[in-house]
Amino acid sequence: MATSSLLLLLLLISSCIISALLPAASASKTRHFKWEVGYIYASPDCNEKILMGINGQFPGPTIRAKAGDTIHVELKNTLHTEGVVIHWHGIRQFGTPWADGTASISQCAIDPEETFVYRFRVEKAGTYFYHGHYGMQRAAGLYGSLIVDAADGEEEPFRYDGEFNLLLSDWYHQSIYDQMVGLSSNPLRWIGEPQTLLINGRGQYNCSLAAHPVEGSNACRPTSKDCAPVVLRVLPNKTYRLRIASTTSLSSLNLAIGNHKMVVVEADGNHVEPFTVGDIDIYSGESYSVLVTTDQNPSSNYWLSVGVRGRKPKTSPALAIVNYRPNSPSKLPESGPPMAPEWNDYNHSKSFSYRILARRGAPKPPQSADRRIVLLNTQNKIDGYTKWSINNVSLALPPTPYLGSMRYRLKNAFDAGMPPENFPPSYDVMRPPPNPNSTQSSNAYVIGLNSTVDVILQNANALAVNVSEIHPWHLHGHEFWVVGYGDGRFGEKEVARFNLKNPPLRNTVVIFPYGWTAIRFVADNPGVWAFHCHIEPHLHMGMGVIFAEGVEHVGKIPREALACGMTAKMLMDKHRP
Amino acid sequence: MATSSLLLLLLLISSCIISALLPAASASKTRHFKWEVGYIYASPDCNEKILMGINGQFPGPTIRAKAGDTIHVELKNTLHTEGVVIHWHGIRQFGTPWADGTASISQCAIDPEETFVYRFRVEKAGTYFYHGHYGMQRAAGLYGSLIVDAADGEEEPFRYDGEFNLLLSDWYHQSIYDQMVGLSSNPLRWIGEPQTLLINGRGQYNCSLAAHPVEGSNACRPTSKDCAPVVLRVLPNKTYRLRIASTTSLSSLNLAIGNHKMVVVEADGNHVEPFTVGDIDIYSGESYSVLVTTDQNPSSNYWLSVGVRGRKPKTSPALAIVNYRPNSPSKLPESGPPMAPEWNDYNHSKSFSYRILARRGAPKPPQSADRRIVLLNTQNKIDGYTKWSINNVSLALPPTPYLGSMRYRLKNAFDAGMPPENFPPSYDVMRPPPNPNSTQSSNAYVIGLNSTVDVILQNANALAVNVSEIHPWHLHGHEFWVVGYGDGRFGEKEVARFNLKNPPLRNTVVIFPYGWTAIRFVADNPGVWAFHCHIEPHLHMGMGVIFAEGVEHVGKIPREALACGMTAKMLMDKHRP
């Protein structure tokens, strides 16, 4: 009896062990990458310049993984005098806040010739990307795609016969050093519109492929494979998934394919209720999947066109060719590239954004929030320097990353005190700031762990009269539900109208000119997280805030993430012989 | 009796205290500077670009001190993503090896927004300068003058009525990032000749002030004060000291003043036996003082001209105006600017260098050396990349500075083993390397403390046939006696001919094409010291060696100098909670 009980117990224990081990071993794996970030020569738009590549490639290598996998990137910095970090955009970093890749926030920048290991889990299938998050290094070309497929045995709720990945960006001929100095100068030297739009790192400067096609004038014949147009080789009557992500520095984009409709099925790694459109808007920091059925005249090829939205375009659209096999890829499409909507047709943009709703069965938001933070977006002046401010505070990142300084409760590592939760009721969002003077600070919003937070992003008039810009806001460490949009100033009565039934989950959302956007999220990820405008020059000019939650629950931060500033000093001092 | 003894003792003690304190208090002081390094817009040659300034100035502020003073510079890095250090060129840093300002050697680069305190004593009157010593930041404009006057009560052994300070440099329109990537590329992209030569940070691009003078054609009228020609306002029949230092990236220079002779009195902070010349050669890293007597027709102004030596010049000479008061400074000199000697007239250059000898009474070298290190300078290939090598080793600096890793005896912080002391007897210095393949290493020469070392710098043919270049070698932490020069390969019999009677003390010395130069120094300064070609792209391509001496005697290295790489890890690890 005692023996059989023991045997039973042993069997029970071993079956527990087996059941605990088996699923992990069979379903998910660790994917190893060894990368070197360094400057390379490249001609993304037929004009050679130096840019930041990874392992000699631009854009960086595509990471492809399955949901549940662990990504392990040994990142070596081979820049000569600059630090570097890489942010994994859209990856939650649950339990690994030090791997979020944000300089001054989650880790110390990696010194030249040093290596940092990014190790994190990708939880959810979807279309993601990665990019530099130090100074304006993203705009120097430091980016690439991160595609997560459904875990083995799981399925996406839509079918397709093939897929293409399109990573969109904009391109400047001026170096990022020149750009950063100009943006930090008094008077401001604005970076202007990009020279070129790129699809998968390729574009054509000052030349429309449609007017002067590939086989046409020399002026637009790509002089190297770097800048040859992307070709999407398709078969007739099939359905293709286009994964589209935007890592632009400045531009908001619109994408369309001649004659073809698109069915939107994914936004920022979340399934959305499918809807059909002729074109999609995509803002910096966003990603979408659309399904395209090749149901048009198969004897023709078609243009895929990417143009600028929200700012008066001075940049030619980027073009790719949808090549119906067996046509030659160099066969000119019979009709011109699709025209983008007027750059300032915001109703068109809004109607697209408003149609993005969660697919049935998606997780619903909590029905109420514990806290509401209202963030007024204004353009300001500080000692004559042009800045962007949130509730009149322009973000100045501290030299010691918050994650370490908060974890070790260091004094004076960043500005004390909580930033404002709201802005004065008298503030008129339709007019330039009556007093444009603002302040710089590194202070942070401390949020109760597991609390539900509403953030109202309130747009306003910039410094000039009748100017209000689009700002795509990106949240690190979380996804949020987009529970409402509106024009003008947000009012208390809007809360009752929040969409709590099927709001989409996202990591990036836009505020339209003079409008507001309401999001809700659960602060369930111990760490310190940036929430900021994804327009690179705007962030450089202070357009962001810091959220900290449950930092006392953060696990052991890798030494390398702490090896700078006050955390390094504290840890070194104690030991110093 | 007991009382009077006590009184005597007290008197004795207090007089000791007074005598110990008084000279220090009266004669030397600590000079405080608070500097910020950051990019600024400037137009040194009427073409605007961003460059590295200090407190908004280019060149950086001039430090003026007296021998025996302590210099205290709080240096804040306000670059956006780059580290920075500053080297105090010609200052021995006796007892303060961590203040030598060499990234990877004496300290960790200062992170953005961080401050490092350089505190060191200036021992000897003379003409010095300071500059960046990380990547190619010197070539980005990070330099300025450091002038040390004789201590109170001391006198220089020559008289003058006034002085001028001329800091010479060369200027490229290409960014240092582009330059660094080009130099690190396969195939090599050489930086070419500079666009402009600068005097005190001013020059005129693509335009000869002499042909198109200040008041002449618009093409050469300086469009801003940044690029207006330097004017030296003099009175007739006076004697002026011209302090001249070169911090060029590439160019060797020649300086002359129309109609005037110059008496050379100082080289690299050491008095030399005065000699009279019509022009002087000055190589990157060198400094001179010359005395000029204004004994020419006082109704005229005169050109001071700086041209290129040793490389076929593609750069217009830099011009300044010696303005005899009360003439207008814009009055054109009656005769054209003095012509520089032919660029490849090496006999002219050698005859100048050979005339530089120590002034009577200067310290003499030890009569024999404990060790001789022969350093063959060759251009090489490593995996197809063009490099410069010393005894077939191209210097690759380690991420952890030597000073810290050696002081704490860290393993694997740099390549073990001693670099070669000599090169094969069969090597033909007159021909390209028979096997151009070289190796990269971070290994270092460890030298016995207080030993006397001879170094023979042996020049050779570069990769191309019939090419051998000038290389000015600069030693950190010491001065050395230049005991011999010669053509062709150095031979044992030359040792007997070394000048041990009146060799000049210097910190920089040149090797002429296909020639050798012998130096002797006493390794009396505990620390780790670079010895390298002062041509910025050559150092970037590996042209240097590391000398380490008595590192176990180095005092407490400031924490900030250790806060990177393996020293940071070691010190942090021990303590980590």
Side-chain angles (χ1 to χ4, degrees), chain B residues 292-324:
Chain B
V292 178
T293 300
T294 49
D295 53 7
Q296 296 299 304
N297 177 358
S299 68
S300 179
N301 290 336
Y302 299 87
W303 290 115
L304 180 151
S305 177
V306 178
V308 171
R309 306 281 296 131
R311 307 181 71 90
K312 199 166 181 179
K314 293 178 182 162
T315 315
S316 304
L319 295 176
I321 291 167
V322 178
N323 167 221
Y324 272 61

mmCIF file of all heavy atoms in Angstrom, chain B residues 292-324:
data_model
loop_
_atom_site.group_PDB
_atom_site.id
_atom_site.type_symbol
_atom_site.label_atom_id
_atom_site.label_comp_id
_atom_site.label_asym_id
_atom_site.label_seq_id
_atom_site.Cartn_x
_atom_site.Cartn_y
_atom_site.Cartn_z
ATOM 1 N N VAL B 292 60.126 87.674 -34.783
ATOM 2 C CA VAL B 292 60.112 88.425 -36.042
ATOM 3 C C VAL B 292 60.326 89.893 -35.689
ATOM 4 O O VAL B 292 59.618 90.437 -34.834
ATOM 5 C CB VAL B 292 58.765 88.257 -36.771
ATOM 6 C CG1 VAL B 292 58.745 89.092 -38.060
ATOM 7 C CG2 VAL B 292 58.503 86.796 -37.076
ATOM 8 N N THR B 293 61.287 90.514 -36.337
ATOM 9 C CA THR B 293 61.527 91.939 -36.105
ATOM 10 C C THR B 293 60.944 92.730 -37.279
ATOM 11 O O THR B 293 61.196 92.418 -38.443
ATOM 12 C CB THR B 293 63.026 92.208 -35.935
ATOM 13 O OG1 THR B 293 63.485 91.458 -34.811
ATOM 14 C CG2 THR B 293 63.301 93.691 -35.693
ATOM 15 N N THR B 294 60.175 93.723 -36.950
ATOM 16 C CA THR B 294 59.449 94.481 -37.985
ATOM 17 C C THR B 294 60.354 95.600 -38.510
ATOM 18 O O THR B 294 60.149 96.780 -38.265
ATOM 19 C CB THR B 294 58.150 95.062 -37.392
ATOM 20 O OG1 THR B 294 58.467 95.709 -36.161
ATOM 21 C CG2 THR B 294 57.134 93.977 -37.144
ATOM 22 N N ASP B 295 61.335 95.135 -39.264
ATOM 23 C CA ASP B 295 62.379 96.048 -39.718
ATOM 24 C C ASP B 295 62.243 96.361 -41.206
ATOM 25 O O ASP B 295 63.183 96.824 -41.839
ATOM 26 C CB ASP B 295 63.760 95.448 -39.417
ATOM 27 C CG ASP B 295 63.891 94.043 -39.987
ATOM 28 O OD1 ASP B 295 62.959 93.591 -40.718
ATOM 29 O OD2 ASP B 295 64.892 93.376 -39.705
ATOM 30 N N GLN B 296 61.097 96.125 -41.793
ATOM 31 C CA GLN B 296 60.902 96.380 -43.211
ATOM 32 C C GLN B 296 60.171 97.704 -43.417
ATOM 33 O O GLN B 296 59.759 98.353 -42.453
ATOM 34 C CB GLN B 296 60.118 95.216 -43.847
ATOM 35 C CG GLN B 296 60.884 93.903 -43.794
ATOM 36 C CD GLN B 296 62.199 93.983 -44.554
ATOM 37 O OE1 GLN B 296 62.243 94.315 -45.738
ATOM 38 N NE2 GLN B 296 63.313 93.721 -43.861
ATOM 39 N N ASN B 297 60.057 98.078 -44.676
ATOM 40 C CA ASN B 297 59.419 99.349 -45.038
ATOM 41 C C ASN B 297 58.070 99.473 -44.330
ATOM 42 O O ASN B 297 57.139 98.718 -44.611
ATOM 43 C CB ASN B 297 59.243 99.376 -46.559
ATOM 44 C CG ASN B 297 58.516 100.620 -47.021
ATOM 45 O OD1 ASN B 297 58.109 101.462 -46.201
ATOM 46 N ND2 ASN B 297 58.342 100.744 -48.326
ATOM 47 N N PRO B 298 57.925 100.405 -43.431
ATOM 48 C CA PRO B 298 56.720 100.455 -42.596
ATOM 49 C C PRO B 298 55.505 101.000 -43.337
ATOM 50 O O PRO B 298 54.399 100.965 -42.794
ATOM 51 C CB PRO B 298 57.117 101.377 -41.439
ATOM 52 C CG PRO B 298 58.193 102.239 -42.002
ATOM 53 C CD PRO B 298 58.907 101.458 -43.050
ATOM 54 N N SER B 299 55.681 101.468 -44.565
ATOM 55 C CA SER B 299 54.507 101.974 -45.286
ATOM 56 C C SER B 299 53.759 100.838 -45.972
ATOM 57 O O SER B 299 52.696 101.058 -46.563
ATOM 58 C CB SER B 299 54.926 103.040 -46.308
ATOM 59 O OG SER B 299 55.673 102.415 -47.339
ATOM 60 N N SER B 300 54.282 99.646 -45.907
ATOM 61 C CA SER B 300 53.634 98.509 -46.560
ATOM 62 C C SER B 300 53.128 97.514 -45.510
ATOM 63 O O SER B 300 53.636 97.472 -44.380
ATOM 64 C CB SER B 300 54.640 97.809 -47.485
ATOM 65 O OG SER B 300 54.034 96.705 -48.108
ATOM 66 N N ASN B 301 52.122 96.732 -45.897
ATOM 67 C CA ASN B 301 51.755 95.539 -45.141
ATOM 68 C C ASN B 301 52.430 94.343 -45.799
ATOM 69 O O ASN B 301 52.946 94.439 -46.919
ATOM 70 C CB ASN B 301 50.237 95.353 -45.135
ATOM 71 C CG ASN B 301 49.535 96.412 -44.288
ATOM 72 O OD1 ASN B 301 50.147 96.987 -43.391
ATOM 73 N ND2 ASN B 301 48.263 96.675 -44.592
ATOM 74 N N TYR B 302 52.387 93.187 -45.140
ATOM 75 C CA TYR B 302 53.074 91.994 -45.667
ATOM 76 C C TYR B 302 52.181 90.771 -45.490
ATOM 77 O O TYR B 302 51.379 90.699 -44.557
ATOM 78 C CB TYR B 302 54.415 91.799 -44.947
ATOM 79 C CG TYR B 302 55.328 92.986 -45.169
ATOM 80 C CD1 TYR B 302 55.264 94.091 -44.323
ATOM 81 C CD2 TYR B 302 56.207 93.027 -46.253
ATOM 82 C CE1 TYR B 302 56.055 95.215 -44.542
ATOM 83 C CE2 TYR B 302 57.005 94.142 -46.485
ATOM 84 C CZ TYR B 302 56.923 95.227 -45.630
ATOM 85 O OH TYR B 302 57.687 96.339 -45.873
ATOM 86 N N TRP B 303 52.348 89.828 -46.387
ATOM 87 C CA TRP B 303 51.602 88.576 -46.279
ATOM 88 C C TRP B 303 52.332 87.592 -45.382
ATOM 89 O O TRP B 303 53.544 87.429 -45.486
ATOM 90 C CB TRP B 303 51.448 87.902 -47.649
ATOM 91 C CG TRP B 303 50.533 88.587 -48.608
ATOM 92 C CD1 TRP B 303 50.886 89.154 -49.797
ATOM 93 C CD2 TRP B 303 49.114 88.742 -48.492
ATOM 94 N NE1 TRP B 303 49.791 89.672 -50.435
ATOM 95 C CE2 TRP B 303 48.677 89.428 -49.652
ATOM 96 C CE3 TRP B 303 48.178 88.384 -47.525
ATOM 97 C CZ2 TRP B 303 47.345 89.756 -49.873
ATOM 98 C CZ3 TRP B 303 46.859 88.703 -47.741
ATOM 99 C CH2 TRP B 303 46.449 89.388 -48.903
ATOM 100 N N LEU B 304 51.562 86.930 -44.571
ATOM 101 C CA LEU B 304 52.052 85.718 -43.920
ATOM 102 C C LEU B 304 51.342 84.575 -44.649
ATOM 103 O O LEU B 304 50.114 84.608 -44.820
ATOM 104 C CB LEU B 304 51.695 85.731 -42.432
ATOM 105 C CG LEU B 304 52.127 84.528 -41.594
ATOM 106 C CD1 LEU B 304 52.362 84.939 -40.142
ATOM 107 C CD2 LEU B 304 51.120 83.391 -41.632
ATOM 108 N N SER B 305 52.120 83.615 -45.118
ATOM 109 C CA SER B 305 51.544 82.565 -45.965
ATOM 110 C C SER B 305 51.845 81.188 -45.397
ATOM 111 O O SER B 305 52.950 80.930 -44.908
ATOM 112 C CB SER B 305 52.141 82.692 -47.381
ATOM 113 O OG SER B 305 51.660 81.662 -48.198
ATOM 114 N N VAL B 306 50.842 80.305 -45.445
ATOM 115 C CA VAL B 306 50.995 78.923 -44.965
ATOM 116 C C VAL B 306 50.619 77.981 -46.102
ATOM 117 O O VAL B 306 49.481 78.024 -46.579
ATOM 118 C CB VAL B 306 50.099 78.652 -43.740
ATOM 119 C CG1 VAL B 306 50.231 77.210 -43.289
ATOM 120 C CG2 VAL B 306 50.427 79.606 -42.604
ATOM 121 N N GLY B 307 51.567 77.206 -46.559
ATOM 122 C CA GLY B 307 51.305 76.284 -47.666
ATOM 123 C C GLY B 307 51.611 74.842 -47.293
ATOM 124 O O GLY B 307 52.099 74.551 -46.199
ATOM 125 N N VAL B 308 51.301 73.949 -48.209
ATOM 126 C CA VAL B 308 51.424 72.505 -47.964
ATOM 127 C C VAL B 308 52.808 71.997 -48.369
ATOM 128 O O VAL B 308 53.337 72.397 -49.400
ATOM 129 C CB VAL B 308 50.323 71.750 -48.746
ATOM 130 C CG1 VAL B 308 50.549 70.248 -48.689
ATOM 131 C CG2 VAL B 308 48.946 72.096 -48.195
ATOM 132 N N ARG B 309 53.379 71.121 -47.565
ATOM 133 C CA ARG B 309 54.664 70.454 -47.834
ATOM 134 C C ARG B 309 54.442 68.956 -47.918
ATOM 135 O O ARG B 309 53.556 68.405 -47.258
ATOM 136 C CB ARG B 309 55.635 70.667 -46.668
ATOM 137 C CG ARG B 309 55.886 72.057 -46.252
ATOM 138 C CD ARG B 309 56.855 72.768 -47.150
ATOM 139 N NE ARG B 309 58.175 72.169 -47.126
ATOM 140 C CZ ARG B 309 58.871 71.847 -48.219
ATOM 141 N NH1 ARG B 309 58.338 72.011 -49.418
ATOM 142 N NH2 ARG B 309 60.082 71.360 -48.133
ATOM 143 N N GLY B 310 55.276 68.284 -48.695
ATOM 144 C CA GLY B 310 55.372 66.824 -48.601
ATOM 145 C C GLY B 310 54.291 66.057 -49.343
ATOM 146 O O GLY B 310 54.366 64.843 -49.477
ATOM 147 N N ARG B 311 53.249 66.711 -49.770
ATOM 148 C CA ARG B 311 52.214 66.101 -50.621
ATOM 149 C C ARG B 311 51.925 67.121 -51.706
ATOM 150 O O ARG B 311 51.898 68.319 -51.445
ATOM 151 C CB ARG B 311 50.915 65.845 -49.855
ATOM 152 C CG ARG B 311 51.086 65.066 -48.584
ATOM 153 C CD ARG B 311 49.740 64.837 -47.909
ATOM 154 N NE ARG B 311 48.951 63.883 -48.668
ATOM 155 C CZ ARG B 311 48.988 62.569 -48.457
ATOM 156 N NH1 ARG B 311 49.741 62.061 -47.524
ATOM 157 N NH2 ARG B 311 48.254 61.769 -49.197
ATOM 158 N N LYS B 312 51.673 66.664 -52.908
ATOM 159 C CA LYS B 312 51.405 67.595 -53.997
ATOM 160 C C LYS B 312 50.202 68.452 -53.613
ATOM 161 O O LYS B 312 49.100 67.934 -53.431
ATOM 162 C CB LYS B 312 51.127 66.812 -55.284
ATOM 163 C CG LYS B 312 51.294 67.674 -56.509
ATOM 164 C CD LYS B 312 51.368 66.858 -57.786
ATOM 165 C CE LYS B 312 51.553 67.808 -58.961
ATOM 166 N NZ LYS B 312 51.648 67.072 -60.220
ATOM 167 N N PRO B 313 50.408 69.768 -53.451
ATOM 168 C CA PRO B 313 49.327 70.578 -52.866
ATOM 169 C C PRO B 313 48.169 70.770 -53.845
ATOM 170 O O PRO B 313 48.365 71.019 -55.025
ATOM 171 C CB PRO B 313 50.002 71.917 -52.574
ATOM 172 C CG PRO B 313 51.449 71.759 -52.875
ATOM 173 C CD PRO B 313 51.594 70.564 -53.756
ATOM 174 N N LYS B 314 46.974 70.630 -53.341
ATOM 175 C CA LYS B 314 45.761 70.961 -54.100
ATOM 176 C C LYS B 314 44.969 72.016 -53.331
ATOM 177 O O LYS B 314 43.815 72.268 -53.629
ATOM 178 C CB LYS B 314 44.906 69.706 -54.286
ATOM 179 C CG LYS B 314 45.573 68.666 -55.175
ATOM 180 C CD LYS B 314 44.731 67.406 -55.305
ATOM 181 C CE LYS B 314 45.463 66.386 -56.153
ATOM 182 N NZ LYS B 314 44.929 65.031 -55.980
ATOM 183 N N THR B 315 45.600 72.554 -52.316
ATOM 184 C CA THR B 315 44.916 73.468 -51.410
ATOM 185 C C THR B 315 45.618 74.820 -51.479
ATOM 186 O O THR B 315 46.846 74.873 -51.421
ATOM 187 C CB THR B 315 44.987 72.906 -49.973
ATOM 188 O OG1 THR B 315 44.681 71.519 -50.008
ATOM 189 C CG2 THR B 315 44.016 73.617 -49.052
ATOM 190 N N SER B 316 44.821 75.886 -51.611
ATOM 191 C CA SER B 316 45.406 77.227 -51.650
ATOM 192 C C SER B 316 46.104 77.529 -50.331
ATOM 193 O O SER B 316 45.631 77.098 -49.270
ATOM 194 C CB SER B 316 44.325 78.287 -51.867
ATOM 195 O OG SER B 316 43.603 78.024 -53.031
ATOM 196 N N PRO B 317 47.188 78.286 -50.363
ATOM 197 C CA PRO B 317 47.823 78.680 -49.107
ATOM 198 C C PRO B 317 46.865 79.517 -48.256
ATOM 199 O O PRO B 317 46.001 80.216 -48.788
ATOM 200 C CB PRO B 317 49.010 79.546 -49.556
ATOM 201 C CG PRO B 317 49.225 79.226 -50.994
ATOM 202 C CD PRO B 317 47.882 78.817 -51.544
ATOM 203 N N ALA B 318 47.025 79.391 -46.966
ATOM 204 C CA ALA B 318 46.292 80.282 -46.051
ATOM 205 C C ALA B 318 47.099 81.557 -45.908
ATOM 206 O O ALA B 318 48.335 81.522 -45.841
ATOM 207 C CB ALA B 318 46.129 79.612 -44.691
ATOM 208 N N LEU B 319 46.396 82.662 -45.870
ATOM 209 C CA LEU B 319 47.090 83.943 -45.790
ATOM 210 C C LEU B 319 46.607 84.739 -44.591
ATOM 211 O O LEU B 319 45.417 84.751 -44.274
ATOM 212 C CB LEU B 319 46.841 84.762 -47.068
ATOM 213 C CG LEU B 319 47.410 84.176 -48.361
ATOM 214 C CD1 LEU B 319 46.994 85.035 -49.555
ATOM 215 C CD2 LEU B 319 48.932 84.078 -48.294
ATOM 216 N N ALA B 320 47.558 85.415 -43.950
ATOM 217 C CA ALA B 320 47.224 86.406 -42.918
ATOM 218 C C ALA B 320 47.969 87.684 -43.296
ATOM 219 O O ALA B 320 48.876 87.661 -44.125
ATOM 220 C CB ALA B 320 47.646 85.910 -41.546
ATOM 221 N N ILE B 321 47.561 88.773 -42.711
ATOM 222 C CA ILE B 321 48.169 90.060 -43.048
ATOM 223 C C ILE B 321 48.953 90.588 -41.858
ATOM 224 O O ILE B 321 48.410 90.715 -40.756
ATOM 225 C CB ILE B 321 47.081 91.073 -43.476
ATOM 226 C CG1 ILE B 321 46.498 90.649 -44.823
ATOM 227 C CG2 ILE B 321 47.664 92.487 -43.574
ATOM 228 C CD1 ILE B 321 45.226 91.370 -45.187
ATOM 229 N N VAL B 322 50.245 90.848 -42.113
ATOM 230 C CA VAL B 322 51.042 91.542 -41.108
ATOM 231 C C VAL B 322 50.868 93.032 -41.385
ATOM 232 O O VAL B 322 51.321 93.547 -42.405
ATOM 233 C CB VAL B 322 52.525 91.122 -41.182
ATOM 234 C CG1 VAL B 322 53.344 91.891 -40.151
ATOM 235 C CG2 VAL B 322 52.653 89.621 -40.967
ATOM 236 N N ASN B 323 50.158 93.658 -40.492
ATOM 237 C CA ASN B 323 49.702 95.033 -40.711
ATOM 238 C C ASN B 323 50.562 96.003 -39.890
ATOM 239 O O ASN B 323 50.440 96.085 -38.679
ATOM 240 C CB ASN B 323 48.222 95.114 -40.302
ATOM 241 C CG ASN B 323 47.706 96.534 -40.190
ATOM 242 O OD1 ASN B 323 46.951 96.822 -39.261
ATOM 243 N ND2 ASN B 323 48.085 97.428 -41.090
ATOM 244 N N TYR B 324 51.481 96.690 -40.603
ATOM 245 C CA TYR B 324 52.301 97.708 -39.941
ATOM 246 C C TYR B 324 51.403 98.899 -39.619
ATOM 247 O O TYR B 324 50.847 99.518 -40.519
ATOM 248 C CB TYR B 324 53.435 98.168 -40.882
ATOM 249 C CG TYR B 324 54.709 97.338 -40.808
ATOM 250 C CD1 TYR B 324 54.697 95.985 -41.113
ATOM 251 C CD2 TYR B 324 55.922 97.941 -40.454
ATOM 252 C CE1 TYR B 324 55.876 95.229 -41.068
ATOM 253 C CE2 TYR B 324 57.103 97.196 -40.410
ATOM 254 C CZ TYR B 324 57.068 95.839 -40.723
ATOM 255 O OH TYR B 324 58.227 95.109 -40.679
#
